[in-house]
């Protein structure tokens, strides 16, 4: 088979890129290792920046997002004693939209036939070849039959463990990494949220987040040491812990229910640079990971794809090779700012095991400063709502 762009991975990055290229009349094929139901079963992000919403709008795939997405004008930081509201709308004139990654992925998946986007699911042993050249190709097997796709560009949208990043020689890249000594234990339940806006809490027993997917479906997280296992956390133990960490005001409104999903995700900051090598562009988690504290992962995948689609359109329509060459530095400029924000919010809102009284005093002072400074709140709000692309 021959195409212009071979996209590896049909998560949000791969599907968004596929749709944007189709809309520009650029040929592409998406290869995904998993079956569609598996992709939709992953419970992940919940908060969309305006940039991500705008991409769905541009594609004309935002009907359900508009109808079911919850517009949030603010969120809250709790520190045991007080609740600091960050008035995103008042401070930036913008808002975020609560709409699950699962739903966004479903919208992109359901539109593929109508838009002529070819996605090959259950593609095994995907391998990239000759990415340093102008004639790369990708091999895989489907139902045990070996296949080959010749293309001009490969887009690596295959998440943090995919083969794309690994195809780039270590000698030409730099990896930046920070691991955190805890993970987030998440619970999804069909109960109304305890608050109409998100609450991020820093409690002496640890971090907690009250989030949601809809007015009837809640998503909560607590941080746990990496040694913990989901089996150690029956639902009631999680609800008890949430009630303590989120504080009495929120606890009074927590409605408990059986978990639909429960999992532990380790926290990590990671950047792989550059995000392009020869004819391979990396987008989304394939190139970077942020801890979920800033709700930036999916949104960064969307902004990468925005830059990639723009570069590929210039390249295929006008033969502009510079656009491809400039992709990595454009994308990384935004990535690093999101890395900084996610790292600093993680630092502020979690109790690190190695912290002593000084580090805790710094957290208290910073929360105190944020609660009393419009400038500090504006800085948080403009990062949370998403920096311009
Ligand atoms: P994905 O979603 O991992 O998709 C990659 C796809 O590539 C496929 N793949 C392969 N395909 C072919 N061959 C191979 N060998 C392959 N290997 C892998 C995979 O099956 C998959 O379908 O990456 P993408 O598209 O870059 O999207 C990134 C986002 O998924 C991720 O950043 C976010 O979910 C992160 N994240 C959040 N982001 C936000 O913007 N806001 C949030 O509120 C938010 N909350 C979260 C999160 C991530 C979490 N976890 C579980 C890490 C909350 C959590 C708990
Ligand atoms: C979520 O609802 O899953 C969620 C919300 C905000 C975050 C991370 C995750 O910062």
């Amino acid at each position: 088979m021959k195409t212009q762009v071979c996209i590896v991975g049909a998560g949000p990055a791969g599907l968004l890129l596929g749709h944007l290229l189709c809309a520009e009349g650029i040929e592409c094929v998406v290869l995904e290792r998993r079956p569609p139901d598996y992709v939709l079963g992953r419970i992940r992000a919940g908060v969309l920046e305006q940039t991500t919403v705008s991409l769905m709008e541009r594609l004309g795939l935002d009907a359900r997002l508009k109808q079911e997405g919850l517009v949030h004008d603010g969120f809250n930081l709790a520190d045991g004693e007080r609740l600091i509201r960050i008035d995103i709308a008042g401070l930036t004139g913008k808002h975020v939209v609560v709409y699950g990654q699962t739903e966004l992925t479903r919208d992109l998946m359901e539109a593929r036939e109508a838009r002529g986007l070819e996605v090959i699911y259950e593609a095994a042993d995907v391998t990239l070849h000759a990415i340093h050249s102008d004639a790369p190709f990708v091999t895989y097997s489907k139902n045990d039959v070996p296949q080959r796709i010749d293309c001009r560009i490969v887009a690596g949208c295959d998440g943090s463990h995919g083969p794309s990043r690994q195809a780039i020689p270590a000698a030409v890249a730099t990896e930046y990494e920070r691991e955190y000594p805890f993970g987030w234990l998440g619970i999804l339940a069909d109960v109304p949220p305890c608050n109409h806006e998100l609450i991020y809490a820093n409690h002496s027993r640890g971090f907690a987040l009250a989030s949601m997917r809809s007015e009837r479906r809640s998503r909560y997280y607590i941080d746990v040491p990496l040694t913990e296992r989901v089996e150690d956390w029956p639902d009631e133990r999680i609800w008890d812990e949430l009630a303590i960490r989120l504080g009495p005001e929120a606890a009074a409104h927590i409605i408990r229910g059986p978990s639909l999903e429960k999992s532990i995700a380790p926290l990590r900051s990671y950047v792989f640079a550059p995000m392009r090598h020869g004819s391979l562009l990396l987008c989304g988690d394939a190139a970077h990971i942020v801890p979920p504290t800033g709700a930036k992962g999916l949104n960064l995948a969307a902004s990468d794809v925005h830059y990639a689609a723009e570069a590929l359109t210039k390249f295929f329509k006008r033969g502009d090779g510079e656009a491809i060459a400039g992709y990595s530095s454009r994308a990384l400029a935004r990535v690093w700012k999101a890395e900084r924000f996610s790292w600093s919010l993680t630092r502020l809102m979690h109790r690190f095991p190695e912290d002593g009284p000084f580090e805790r005093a710094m957290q208290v002072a910073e929360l105190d400063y944020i609660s009393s400074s419009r400038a500090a709140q504006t800085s948080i709000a403009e990062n949370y709502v998403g920096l311009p692309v």
Side-chain angles (χ1 to χ4, degrees), residues 8-14 31-34 39 42-47 101 123 126 157-159 162-163 219 221 265 283-286 292 295-299 301:
V8 185
L31 293 178
E32 166 61 49
R33 180 164 67 121
R34 302 288 190 180
V39 174
R42 294 189 290 229
I43 307 297
R44 290 188 172 176
V47 178
Q101 177 167 331
V126 171
C157 301
D158 44 358
R219 179 71 165 159
Y221 298 94
C283 299
D285 280 14
K296 289 282 162 264
L298 167 62
N299 294 299

Side-chain angles (χ1 to χ4, degrees), residues 7-15 31-34 38-39 42-49 52 101 105 120-121 123-127 156-164 184 186 198 200 209 211 213 219 221 263-266 283-302 304 384:
I7 299 172
V8 185
L15 289 174
L31 293 178
E32 166 61 49
R33 180 164 67 121
R34 302 288 190 180
Y38 183 97
V39 174
R42 294 189 290 229
I43 307 297
R44 290 188 172 176
V47 178
L48 306 185
E49 295 175 355
T52 310
Q101 177 167 331
T105 308
I120 299 169
Y121 286 95
D125 304 321
V126 171
T127 311
C157 301
D158 44 358
S160 51
H161 305 293
S164 297
W184 278 18
L198 271 61
Y200 295 81
L209 168 59
S211 181
R213 289 292 175 273
R219 179 71 165 159
Y221 298 94
S263 53
I264 297 179
C283 299
D285 280 14
H288 41 72
I289 299 290
V290 284
T293 326
K296 289 282 162 264
L298 167 62
N299 294 299
L300 271 187
D304 286 355
Y384 195 83

Side-chain angles (χ1 to χ4, degrees), residues 91-306:
L91 294 163
T92 68
K94 298 177 190 158
H95 56 252
V96 291
V97 178
V98 170
Y99 190 68
Q101 177 167 331
T102 313
E103 302 312 316
L104 182 115
T105 308
R106 191 191 306 280
D107 294 340
L108 292 165
M109 270 165 92
E110 283 180 355
R112 64 191 195 273
E113 239 173 75
R115 303 291 173 98
L117 173 63
E118 186 176 358
V119 184
I120 299 169
Y121 286 95
E122 299 178 77
D125 304 321
V126 171
T127 311
L128 287 67
H129 306 267
I131 52 161
H132 56 276
S133 77
D134 288 349
F137 61 100
V138 179
T139 55
Y140 66 98
S141 53
K142 174 84 187 175
N143 302 326
D144 293 325
V145 181
Q147 307 281 349
R148 169 175 169 146
I149 299 182
D150 287 282
C151 54
R152 177 61 192 84
I153 296 287
V154 180
C157 301
D158 44 358
S160 51
H161 305 293
S164 297
R165 188 176 71 228
Q166 279 149 28
I168 300 180
V172 302
T174 308
E175 289 180 287
Y176 304 84
E177 187 164 22
R178 166 82 154 95
E179 281 182 355
Y180 299 87
F182 36 71
W184 278 18
L185 167 62
I187 182 169
L188 185 74
D190 272 339
V191 290
C194 69
N195 191 48
H196 68 289
E197 290 179 346
L198 271 61
I199 304 173
Y200 295 81
N202 178 337
H203 186 273
S204 56
R205 291 173 68 97
F207 171 82
L209 168 59
S211 181
M212 65 195 76
R213 289 292 175 273
S214 70
E215 269 144 20
R216 295 167 310 282
R217 183 169 282 189
S218 299
R219 179 71 165 159
Y220 290 96
Y221 298 94
I222 53 174
D223 78 329
V224 293
L226 287 169
T227 45
E228 298 283 303
R229 295 169 317 147
V230 176
E231 302 78 71
D232 302 329
W233 288 87
D235 292 358
E236 280 312 307
R237 185 175 173 210
I238 304 181
W239 292 117
D240 288 345
E241 196 62 33
L242 280 164
I244 299 170
R245 295 188 189 185
L246 287 168
E249 174 73 9
H253 295 99
I254 291 179
I255 300 175
R256 301 178 179 213
S259 59
L260 302 170
E261 193 263 1
K262 247 186 323 192
S263 53
I264 297 179
L267 266 62
R268 195 154 83 100
S269 296
Y270 174 84
V271 176
F272 182 94
M275 288 172 60
R276 179 193 69 94
H277 177 70
S279 300
L280 169 64
L281 308 188
L282 298 177
C283 299
D285 280 14
H288 41 72
I289 299 290
V290 284
T293 326
K296 289 282 162 264
L298 167 62
N299 294 299
L300 271 187
S303 61
D304 286 355
V305 161
H306 164 84

